[in-house]
Amino acid sequence: LLTPGWYDPMPGGFRISGLSYADTEAPDHRAWDCNAPSGQPQRGGVWGALRPGTVVYSGRDVRDVPMSWNRGNYVYIACGDDLFICACHFKDLLVATGDQVEGGQPLGKIGSTGYATGPHVHQWAERQGVRFDWLAEGGYRVVGSGTV
């Protein structure tokens, strides 16, 4: 059962496919790389919002914005109470800047735009500008080989 206010971004579960939130070799990563479970298409699957909110930005990374050049197509959502979520590397975006989104609402199709070694969603959450482990706070349960 998820913590109230958190939603399933990929019905049927998802897989942790890359660097972890706490990876000591990439301390600036501070996010989870996620993808479809094994046996399902890894490119083009739909990823939804972890929480409801307002889309602050939906589009391609911008070279003149610090640290955004590597995101590819991404969505940044203000969820209230100084909580923001960001999902990156989408093949296609399904929401626009200014949209109100519900928890679980599709944001985009999994891709590998920006600086990505393969199709996945680079997902993070931050509160008061500090990133935190959304898997733990949201009550997502990781089992087996990284399946949530």
Side-chain angles (χ1 to χ4, degrees), residues 48-63:
L50 298 176
R51 295 185 58 109
T54 303
V55 178
V56 176
Y57 183 80
S58 176
R60 182 83 182 163
D61 53 17
V62 183
R63 289 271 176 197

Side-chain angles (χ1 to χ4, degrees), residues 16-36:
I16 303 301
S17 63
L19 292 170
S20 75
Y21 171 80
D23 194 306
T24 56
E25 292 182 25
D28 293 333
H29 191 261
R30 297 288 185 243
W32 290 103
D33 288 344
C34 307
N35 209 329

Side-chain angles (χ1 to χ4, degrees), residues 38-123:
S38 296
Q40 293 187 21
Q42 300 304 303
R43 183 184 303 274
V46 175
W47 186 261
L50 298 176
R51 295 185 58 109
T54 303
V55 178
V56 176
Y57 183 80
S58 176
R60 182 83 182 163
D61 53 17
V62 183
R63 289 271 176 197
D64 60 349
V65 174
M67 295 306 296
S68 86
W69 63 269
N70 55 359
R71 297 177 186 169
N73 294 325
Y74 74 100
V75 177
Y76 193 70
I77 300 171
C79 304
D81 296 327
D82 208 16
L83 172 65
F84 294 84
I85 59 173
C86 187
C88 308
H89 305 311
F90 289 118
K91 174 184 174 193
D92 298 305
L93 296 167
L94 302 175
V95 296
T97 301
D99 285 356
Q100 296 292 315
V101 295
E102 298 297 322
Q105 178 179 333
L107 300 175
K109 294 181 180 178
I110 295 172
S112 58
T113 60
Y115 185 68
T117 57
H120 70 283
V121 173
H122 178 81
Q123 176 76 68

